[in-house]
């Protein structure tokens, strides 16, 4: 590339797609949480409003800012991980209805942690992650069920 040549600039369409998917998921959570108790709806609504705000910010950024074509490939790889995390949240929401809060939350915690890790798991690390998942979800379940009196 000559010094006078500028790299080709493109819009981050994969980023915009992830933003739209996140916004749709947040709207679904808001609709579903309308039937929850007052205390039971606080957490899902807070997360949904945060997702809406961040999705809107991402959409504005993708509409305003162009990125070099070479960067689109690395953005696309990062967006697949983000899309995977959105899929984990969607599966968690569906499982809550059918399997209940506790098993669905253990699955969600395990899956999100496995997806977020960039290096391969050892058997020991996987066991520790599973133990931390069960302990963390158990603590949150106890807090919601006994501390906030949320009915599941």
């Amino acid at each position: 590339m000559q010094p006078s040549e500028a790299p080709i600039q493109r819009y981050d369409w994969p980023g915009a797609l992830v933003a739209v998917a996140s916004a749709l998921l947040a709207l679904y959570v808001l609709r579903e949480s309308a039937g929850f108790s007052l205390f039971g709806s606080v957490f899902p609504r807070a997360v949904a409003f945060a997702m809406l705000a961040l999705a809107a910010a991402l959409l504005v950024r993708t509409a305003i800012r162009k990125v070099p074509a070479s960067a689109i490939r690395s953005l696309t790889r990062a967006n697949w991980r983000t899309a995977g995390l959105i899929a984990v949240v969607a599966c968690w929401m569906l499982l809550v209805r059918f399997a209940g809060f506790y098993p669905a939350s253990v699955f969600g915690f395990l899956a999100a942690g496995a997806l977020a890790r960039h290096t391969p798991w050892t058997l020991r690390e996987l066991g520790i992650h599973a133990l931390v998942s069960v302990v963390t979800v158990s603590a949150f379940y106890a807090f919601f069920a006994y501390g906030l009196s949320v009915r599941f």
Side-chain angles (χ1 to χ4, degrees):
M1 182 168 86
Q2 299 294 332
S4 62
E5 291 180 42
I8 298 172
Q9 302 284 310
R10 302 229 167 115
Y11 289 107
D12 178 17
W13 292 111
L17 182 63
V18 167
V20 169
S22 297
L24 291 173
L25 182 60
L27 291 172
Y28 174 76
V29 169
L30 286 174
R31 188 185 68 148
E32 288 297 311
S33 65
F36 293 0
S37 69
L38 179 63
F39 286 131
S41 68
V42 170
F43 181 72
R45 286 180 182 226
V47 171
F49 283 126
M51 283 178 65
L52 279 173
L54 294 172
L58 181 57
L59 275 175
V60 168
R61 190 191 81 175
T62 58
I64 293 173
R65 187 179 127 216
K66 290 184 178 181
V67 294
S70 60
I72 293 291
R73 286 185 288 283
S74 64
L75 286 173
T76 303
R77 282 192 294 270
N79 287 334
W80 279 114
R81 185 176 300 278
T82 304
L85 288 171
I86 291 170
V88 166
V89 171
C91 288
W92 173 79
M93 288 186 331
L94 292 173
L95 280 174
V96 165
R97 282 192 173 278
F98 302 109
F101 177 81
Y102 187 79
S105 296
V106 170
F107 160 78
F109 198 101
L110 283 168
L115 189 58
R117 185 168 171 112
H118 292 274
T119 58
W121 289 93
T122 66
L123 191 57
R124 181 178 183 272
E125 292 168 335
L126 192 59
I128 291 170
H129 178 61
L131 179 65
V132 167
S133 299
V134 169
V135 169
T136 302
V137 171
S138 298
F140 273 98
Y141 182 85
F143 174 68
F144 276 91
Y146 303 112
L148 297 177
S149 299
V150 175
R151 292 185 311 229
F152 292 103

